Amino acid sequence: MTPVTAPMRRGRPRSEDADGRILKAAHELLVERGYDRFAIDEVAARAAVAKTTIYRRWPTKDHLLVALVAKIQDEVAVADTGDIRCDLSVYLTAIATGLDRMRRVGRDATGKEDRSAGVVAELVAAAARHPDVGDAVRNLFARRNTLPLALLDRARERGALAPDTSSEVLFDQLAGALYYRLLITGAPIGSDYVEELVGHVLAGSGVTRRPERN
């Protein structure tokens, strides 16, 4: 009987080491130059890879930046301590801090308040112009949002939220407010705002404020 051999795979396997170098170089360049002066050529040079290596993975700079945003978001933990108010405040403050960094990348430290939306606005615009970028952005958020939605589901199951609370609607209220301030008003989105926002949204869901400890 003739032995059966596994089919040969075409091309070289994707290198996780190269992926890491590319994303690290992309992050450094984005922080230094911002969106407008972000160039695949320089990312390739810094990562010590060929441009074709990047384009095989990410066909445009917008696809690469979506992947970078995904990596940054994945580094933000979603803790479940049993205190939904605290857990949401900590998580959303970390997200707000990241959004604030994204609005300031590549800009001179003039000391003036920067009310632009920076890279986030550019990716939103790219998602609107190009369906494949839009799909990448939506897939990024759909995947990432499973974590805070599961956090809210568990809170409802243990009675910390009203039984009829929709995790999706509640999280839309929270995340939507952050992106509204970032993309529309340009207003600050620091920890004080996040804590007040979480308090109001949870109060609307029937969650009373914890009594202060003595």
Side-chain angles (χ1 to χ4, degrees):
M1 176 180 279
T2 303
V4 177
T5 58
M8 293 181 62
R9 296 180 62 184
R10 295 183 178 181
R12 289 177 295 178
R14 180 163 171 165
S15 167
E16 292 184 4
D17 179 62
D19 286 3
R21 295 201 314 274
I22 292 167
L23 291 173
K24 181 176 183 294
H27 196 180
E28 292 172 351
L29 184 63
L30 181 65
V31 170
E32 293 174 16
R33 305 285 181 81
Y35 179 89
D36 291 340
R37 293 182 293 158
F38 182 92
I40 294 292
D41 290 16
E42 188 156 354
V43 174
R46 292 187 182 204
V49 300
K51 285 189 295 182
T52 53
T53 300
I54 297 178
Y55 285 125
R56 279 198 301 268
R57 293 157 166 78
W58 303 288
T60 69
K61 81 173 186 179
D62 291 320
H63 289 87
L64 175 55
L65 290 174
V66 170
L68 177 59
V69 171
K71 179 179 182 297
I72 292 170
Q73 287 202 351
D74 284 344
E75 293 170 352
V76 179
V78 182
D80 186 353
T81 67
D83 183 336
I84 189 60
R85 185 186 300 274
C86 176
D87 292 339
L88 285 174
S89 295
V90 169
Y91 173 65
L92 291 172
T93 295
I95 293 297
T97 300
L99 291 174
D100 192 53
R101 289 197 194 103
M102 285 291 106
R103 84 161 106 196
R104 290 184 286 114
V105 295
R107 301 182 184 278
D108 294 332
T110 59
K112 297 180 181 179
E113 182 183 12
D114 186 354
R115 298 175 70 85
S116 75
V119 175
V120 177
E122 298 290 355
L123 289 180
V124 169
R129 290 193 301 267
H130 307 291
D132 55 340
V133 176
D135 288 342
V137 170
R138 284 185 287 274
N139 289 337
L140 158 64
F141 282 97
R143 179 184 61 81
R144 178 62 188 180
N145 288 350
T146 58
L147 299 177
L149 291 176
L151 176 72
L152 291 166
D153 287 344
R154 292 191 295 272
R156 184 181 60 249
E157 289 165 3
R158 65 175 179 264
L161 297 174
D164 60 348
T165 299
S166 166
S167 298
E168 185 174 346
V169 171
L170 194 153
F171 188 69
D172 282 351
Q173 290 177 285
L174 295 167
L178 298 187
Y179 283 95
Y180 173 76
R181 287 173 80 90
L182 178 77
L183 295 169
I184 306 301
T185 70
I189 46 175
S191 59
D192 289 346
Y193 171 74
V194 171
E195 290 182 9
E196 184 175 0
L197 172 66
V198 170
H200 280 297
V201 171
L202 290 183
S205 299
V207 180
T208 57
R209 183 173 295 276
R210 302 186 313 274
E212 294 186 7
R213 297 175 181 175
N214 294 324

